[in-house]
Amino acid sequence: MFDTILIANRGEIACRIIRTCRKLGIRTVAVYSQADADALHVRLADTAVPIGPAPARDSYLRADRIIEAALQTGAQAIHPGYGFLSERLDLIAACEANGIAFIGPSAQAIEAMGDKIRSKQIAREAGVPDVPGYDGADQTPATLKREALRIGLPVMVKASAGGGGKGIRKVEAEGDLDSAIATANREAEAAFGDGRLLIEKFVTRPRHVEVQIAGDRHGNIVHLFERDCSVQRSNQKLLEEAPAPNLKPEARAVLHEHALKLARAIAYDSLGTVEFLVDAVTQEVFFLEMNTRLQVEHPVTEAITGLDLVEWQIRIAAGETLPLGQEEIACTGHAIEARLTAERADEGFRPDTGTIALWREPGGLRVDSGVETGSAVSPFYDSMLAKVIAHGPDREAARRRLADGLARMTVLGPATIRPFLVDALRQPVFAAGEATTLFIAETWPAGWQPHREEAGARDALAAAIWLSGTGAKTAGPWGALGDFRVLGTAGKPGTSHLALNDAGTARRLRVESRGRSFRVVTEGGETTVALLEPSEPTRWPVMLDGRRLTVDAVRDEDGVRLRWGACEGRVEIALAVAAEAAARQAAGSAGDSVRATMPGTIAAIHVKEGDSVAAGQTVAVLESMKLFLDLKSPAAGTVTRVAARPGATAAAGELLIAITPA
């Protein structure tokens, strides 16, 4: 067994690996970029080594710097986690050259399955059927388009070297083929350094079901049952569960059999996952790909088997045989995992960044996270913050526990998809175990939106909490004074006129206050709020129109971040007089322009000064959290200024291109 393991990753998976190493008495070494100097995984490890600037290509994707850190700290093995270098042959070669163990499969297995085109050929030879499509050597756009039309629309255009939802486009209309092929190629080149594509027939009612397998270096291979990962956005999983619901026994047996066939065909010798498409109507099974690494969703398999899969990986890499044989592995109960990402689900799952002002995990559930209160969420890496896992004696118990736990969880700062996950778990289709990969599109065809039925009560709570402390300040000499009420000595309430803004919607309130009691008047009526003595600075017990509630909130000079029921987010607050002055100053200064919608890197600029553009035309591409976002012109006109260049970083809201309307 190893004495010291270096973890070539970050975030929640690095923290997850550290927990198992501690259990086994193994010393851990973390690596970190400049952006992660204060990250949780850095503080949890026994030793931490800096490896470069914030962009992953200059740090976490540098195999040479990972090896240098391992040699410097005496690490005997490297665990790559998932993503980054987990399936990169250059890291394995460097490990072998320096006498360091790689905690993962052989280079031959990774090479065989890392290329989607070759993996399909190997699967067919092993008797494992795949989705009809094209995976030929001719990669010209004309050939790819011709083959897509031959197969018949709709099709999936997919990166051969891809993973994590990158370089994948669904195409339903012939007119969209050219742009889909070009975009998938560009994303594949940027993410994997390999722009080759394949075309697959789109299964009309698909379920995404995968089988967890494990093999050792002594020829033993077993499966650890299957997982359903059908609930996805942008081809990235959001809800995963084990075992897969509503599968016929014969379909389940075929999945296990095919996974083992493929693993034996390549003499697989670590933890891995064989992914399949299952036709929801016929339950016909098609091979998709194999991930030769630990999966993000491995905790649900751990929950139903009672096994530590990271421990299995480490023991296999140390040369041990599998801890259990197939007949000794049992499935108990049901588990569901939710991926909590820093995204705006109400804006098409747009990534969000910032500092976490409050992180409060729910009791009774497993939470694998890489963040805490005060952690920074940067644009340089994947948007996932944590995984929340519930286990129960049956699927319904697990589903209810997970929905309840997420409803009680609090994350203030960057927006998260927590409210969406609660909503998704409570949808009848998901509750019945009938979700396909079309679940989100079919459930919310116009896009998901949060429940806002109690917006007035939320505003009243935010205003009362803001006014109760030192947050209610304004610029100038009045802001330098302490809190006071001119009418206080007369026994009458003080009155404040406030301007609120939430997600671009402005509102006005009048608040009458007596001590810690507030009467909030809006256009829709009035609400009374009494603030009780808080037990801690971020947890506020209140009386709202006679109801006793508890609100999680963090206030500052410009507003309040609060979570109460389905309401979560930031409410900007200012004295009305200050807001009006700011609006007058800004009047007339805003023109038609294209700005960065979030922090990121400029991937492309498609116009130059003097060009004429149409409304809705893509003028630039922004890369953030490993996603490419098209930025479009807000109006028809002429480009008068290009303020950005490809490769440069941009802050949220930064001007990129100025356009004079026609």
Side-chain angles (χ1 to χ4, degrees), residues 57 600-605 644-650:
R57 62 179 177 273
T601 302
I602 307 303
I605 297 290
R645 58 178 176 78
T649 58

Side-chain angles (χ1 to χ4, degrees), residues 26-61:
I26 298 172
R27 178 174 169 268
T28 56
V29 178
V31 293
Y32 63 93
S33 70
Q34 291 174 358
D36 280 340
D38 297 320
L40 183 59
H41 76 280
V42 174
R43 299 200 302 278
L44 289 178
D46 296 297
T47 304
V49 180
I51 54 171
R57 62 179 177 273
D58 299 324
S59 51
Y60 296 106
L61 290 174

